[in-house]
């Protein structure tokens, strides 16, 4: 799965921030599989600046490590495994103060993301799971392979766990969902079944037929 993810962040801190980040869980318990994330780059959409990936940055799991990295590096991006199945993606930037806004676009790839079964392919994306910050506006666009058609009601299904959805639109192999005012610690999930024939050589692949079971678990 190739992801282009834009954050428009406004801080309410008097102290300012040097580090903006979030964590992504890539562990799939159904297949006991840990997918790998590759960060491709980060761009400041306000200035056009590209933040190089600083490979020497590792876990920021202590105040001392955080202080060391933000004092050593500036205007860089990074990715690291924060613990177990959790990856952390982020940037270290010049301080931003109360009322300041910064817009960043992260580009990354998650390998071996799709689950393959005998009768369906399963896409289950949880971009924000118990996320600690308030999200004022959210827009997610999912683009499947061109062989997928969301109007194919026998093979394509989508379930959304997103608070305050304001709009959703489906068109051929893609859909867009928008939402407003998602409270802290809420979860955002997109669960979809599509034709398995659109994918080949999946690492997470099972000979079981699971479509009807998954549909019944979702309640419709």
């Amino acid at each position: 799965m190739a992801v282009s993810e834009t954050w428009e962040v406004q801080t309410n801190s008097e102290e300012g921030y040097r580090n903006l980040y979030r964590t992504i869980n890539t562990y799939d318990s159904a297949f006991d599989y840990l997918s790998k994330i590759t960060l491709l780059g980060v761009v400041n959409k306000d200035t056009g600046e590209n933040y190089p990936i600083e490979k020497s940055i590792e876990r920021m799991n202590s105040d001392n490590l955080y202080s060391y990295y933000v004092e050593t590096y500036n205007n860089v991006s990074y990715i690291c495994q924060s613990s177990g199945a959790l990856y952390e993606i982020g940037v270290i930037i010049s301080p931003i103060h109360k009322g300041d806004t910064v817009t960043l676009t992260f580009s990354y790839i998650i390998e071996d993301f799709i689950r393959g079964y005998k009768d369906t392919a399963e896409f289950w994306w949880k971009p924000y799971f118990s996320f600690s910050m308030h999200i004022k506006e959210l827009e997610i666009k999912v683009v499947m392979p061109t062989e997928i058609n969301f109007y194919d009601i026998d093979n394509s299904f989508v379930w959304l766990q997103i608070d305050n959805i304001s709009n959703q639109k489906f068109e051929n192999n893609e859909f867009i969902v928008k939402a407003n005012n998602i409270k802290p610690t809420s979860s955002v999930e997109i669960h979809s079944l599509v034709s398995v024939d659109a994918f080949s050589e999946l690492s997470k692949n099972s000979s079981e037929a699971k479509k009807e079971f998954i549909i019944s678990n979702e309640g419709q």
Side-chain angles (χ1 to χ4, degrees):
M1 180 172 68
V3 183
S4 177
E5 178 176 323
T6 298
W7 311 349
E8 185 177 325
V9 181
Q10 184 179 58
T11 179
N12 61 0
S13 171
E14 293 288 358
E15 299 176 0
Y17 283 90
R18 290 294 309 280
N19 174 227
L20 295 172
Y21 73 95
R22 81 175 186 88
T23 57
I24 302 172
N25 190 337
T26 69
Y27 178 68
D28 187 341
S29 59
F31 284 81
D32 189 25
Y33 197 98
L34 179 63
S35 294
K36 178 184 176 183
I37 297 182
T38 300
L39 181 63
L40 303 178
V42 183
V43 177
N44 185 318
K45 301 292 285 186
D46 302 315
T47 65
E49 181 178 7
N50 286 280
Y51 296 128
I53 301 169
E54 180 50 62
K55 295 183 178 180
S56 64
I57 294 178
E58 298 179 349
R59 299 178 183 180
M60 291 196 192
N61 56 358
S62 71
D63 290 341
N64 287 339
L65 274 177
Y66 172 80
S67 297
Y68 169 76
Y69 285 130
V70 298
E71 290 171 5
T72 305
Y73 301 104
N74 190 28
N75 294 330
V76 298
S77 62
Y78 67 90
I79 182 169
C80 58
Q81 279 185 271
S82 58
S83 64
L86 292 178
Y87 280 84
E88 179 178 312
I89 59 174
V91 293
I92 299 173
I93 59 176
S94 301
I96 56 175
H97 301 282
K98 185 173 181 179
D100 288 350
T101 299
V102 61
T103 306
L104 306 168
T105 294
F106 288 73
S107 299
Y108 57 93
I109 291 175
I110 302 180
E111 298 177 18
D112 305 325
F113 183 76
I114 297 289
R115 295 171 176 173
Y117 296 102
K118 180 180 180 180
D119 56 351
T120 193
E122 185 178 25
F123 172 95
W124 202 340
W125 178 223
K126 303 176 184 180
Y128 299 100
F129 195 74
S130 297
F131 190 59
S132 61
M133 298 178 68
H134 173 263
I135 300 175
K136 185 177 180 180
E137 296 180 7
L138 175 70
E139 178 177 337
I140 298 177
K141 180 178 182 179
V142 175
V143 181
M144 288 286 184
T146 55
E147 297 91 337
I148 300 299
N149 187 349
F150 283 111
Y151 294 126
D152 177 8
I153 60 175
D154 293 326
N155 292 300
S156 300
F157 303 83
V158 177
W159 299 274
L160 302 173
Q161 181 179 316
I162 304 173
D163 291 338
N164 302 324
I165 293 176
S166 60
N167 191 26
Q168 51 187 308
K169 178 182 178 182
F170 293 81
E171 185 171 348
N172 298 324
N173 64 318
E174 63 183 55
F175 68 85
I176 298 173
V177 58
K178 298 180 181 180
N180 300 309
N181 297 319
I182 298 175
K183 296 179 180 178
T185 72
S186 299
S187 296
V188 172
E189 298 184 31
I190 297 174
H191 192 189
S192 179
L193 299 181
V194 295
S195 174
V196 71
D197 295 336
F199 303 93
S200 62
E201 300 181 1
L202 294 174
S203 295
K204 295 190 300 188
N205 193 44
S206 170
S207 60
E208 291 185 85
K210 294 292 290 285
K211 184 168 78 170
E212 295 304 321
F213 174 79
I214 293 169
I215 291 172
S216 64
N217 272 2
E218 286 288 356
Q220 58 183 16

